[in-house]
Amino acid sequence: MLKIAIIGAGRVGESTAQFLAESDLAREIALLDVREGAAAGAALDIQETAPLLGFDARLIGDTDPGVIAGAELVIITAGLPRKPGMSRSDVLDKNVEILDSIITDVTREAPDSRILVVSNPVDVLTYRAWEKTGWDRSRVFGQAGVLDASRMAAFVALETGLSTRDIHTLVLGGHGDAMVPMLRYSGINGIPLHHFMDQDAIDRIVERTRHGGAEILALKQTSSAYDAPAAAIKAMVEAIVLDRRRVLPTVALLNGEYRASDVAMGVPCVLGAGGMERIVELDLNAAEHEAFMTSLAGVKADIDRLK
């Protein structure tokens, strides 16, 4: 890809730029931030690692939205961060205001791009970005499930002592406390989790996954997670840039899938050169469907606040 833009040069945005640069996924990576010097400083700092890490990507940063002109993919990480005790929905009103301004810049400077939303609450903001752009849903999607599934897999590895390379997990639903870890679709090299752990351990992992971001926030106090989110973004970007057509949990606009419409939710999707190319609809059992609908109701309630 010739150019990727990252809007928001905070911790998630800067870590994302570093991961993308190291992987040479774009010839140019542009960072945009309203704070004077923040984007330029982050870009220069990362650029100076190029000789040591061996990448050729060129990084630029500015406060001028013109810096993202011509980007083929725009990653939105800007927004008011959570503080300890806050939910993702608590930052909704301010972050919608920030997102609306960003979308104005994106549609003007990079009208042919695809948008990957990361800012919280990501399900609602993905919906808002799609609504404001009027673009096809293949071009506007969000990151949540890749991060949630990675957290779940990490917790399984810590519990069992087994290699993360063999652990595969899946998390659906909204990116919040009502997310839906899919135990039927998770396992270790094709073997169900219950062969390695008892139900109490599995239940602990499910709860820890649901509160994974809050756990890190409570420990750090001064910041939320940024390395794991950036790694999740990189996995999605790589699938798109290299046209890998990977099946990854993605916040996508639903149009009848999973018996839901007019909402953005985390579901398995095929990611490739066309962006969010296809939604993979799983056959949920009664318990899974009930949990999914509970998660959906929370996202719907936040979307309705915006109307």
Side-chain angles (χ1 to χ4, degrees):
M1 190 167 281
L2 294 178
K3 184 172 183 177
I4 295 174
I6 301 170
I7 301 182
R11 289 183 172 96
V12 174
E14 186 168 352
S15 287
T16 298
Q18 181 75 64
F19 287 0
L20 297 185
E22 287 180 30
S23 301
D24 265 331
L25 289 173
R27 294 298 300 165
E28 183 176 306
I29 299 172
L31 290 96
L32 173 64
D33 199 290
V34 295
R35 297 170 298 152
E36 191 67 41
L44 182 58
D45 192 17
I46 296 169
Q47 191 71 70
E48 290 171 358
T49 71
L52 299 171
L53 299 176
F55 63 81
D56 293 316
R58 298 302 173 94
L59 291 99
I60 56 174
D62 210 318
T63 58
D64 183 351
V67 76
I68 72 169
E72 296 163 82
L73 175 65
V74 176
I75 303 166
I76 301 175
T77 68
L80 183 71
R82 284 196 295 166
K83 295 180 180 179
M86 294 176 69
S87 72
R88 293 178 177 89
S89 292
D90 289 337
V91 296
L92 174 59
D93 292 338
K94 180 60 179 176
N95 283 351
V96 165
E97 180 183 333
I98 293 170
L99 180 86
D100 286 352
S101 176
I102 288 170
I103 293 302
T104 298
D105 292 335
V106 172
T107 53
R108 181 182 65 249
E109 303 291 346
D112 299 320
S113 65
R114 291 175 289 281
I115 295 174
L116 172 55
V117 180
V118 181
S119 309
N120 279 316
V122 65
D123 310 275
V124 182
L125 295 186
T126 299
Y127 179 90
R128 180 74 167 196
W130 167 77
E131 186 178 52
K132 295 289 287 185
T133 59
W135 293 353
D136 186 84
R137 66 176 181 170
S138 65
R139 296 177 59 193
V140 184
F141 41 92
Q143 190 290 121
V146 175
L147 171 60
D148 297 330
S150 179
R151 284 174 170 158
M152 185 177 174
F155 299 149
V156 170
L158 292 173
E159 181 74 30
T160 62
L162 298 174
S163 173
T164 56
R165 292 175 180 269
D166 294 328
I167 300 170
H168 302 281
T169 55
L170 179 63
V171 179
L172 304 187
H175 186 49
D177 297 345
M179 67 180 68
V180 187
M182 298 291 291
L183 298 178
R184 279 201 305 138
Y185 294 93
S186 301
I188 301 176
N189 214 6
I191 303 170
L193 295 178
H194 64 74
H195 282 269
F196 302 93
M197 296 176 287
D198 59 27
Q199 191 59 47
D200 286 344
I202 292 173
D203 290 343
R204 285 196 305 272
I205 287 170
V206 167
E207 281 306 298
R208 196 175 182 191
T209 300
R210 286 177 172 150
H211 303 285
E215 181 180 359
I216 292 173
L217 180 59
L219 289 168
K220 287 188 170 187
Q221 292 292 314
T222 57
S223 79
S224 53
Y226 50 90
D227 282 333
I233 296 166
K234 183 240 178 182
M236 296 180 74
V237 172
E238 184 180 67
I240 294 166
V241 171
L242 302 182
D243 194 23
R244 291 194 184 279
R245 306 197 77 243
R246 291 192 65 190
V247 178
L248 295 172
T250 302
V251 179
L253 273 297
L254 300 183
N255 185 23
E257 298 88 358
Y258 293 91
R259 303 183 221 174
S261 296
D262 199 34
V263 66
M265 288 282 282
V267 293
C269 296
V270 176
L271 296 186
M276 193 288 292
E277 296 184 349
R278 180 164 63 91
I279 291 174
V280 178
E281 193 164 6
L282 302 177
D283 184 17
L284 304 184
N285 62 31
E288 291 162 349
H289 178 70
E290 181 180 1
F292 186 85
M293 296 308 290
T294 297
S295 185
L296 183 143
V299 174
K300 276 274 197 183
D302 280 342
I303 289 175
D304 289 343
R305 282 174 53 192
L306 306 180
K307 295 183 177 179

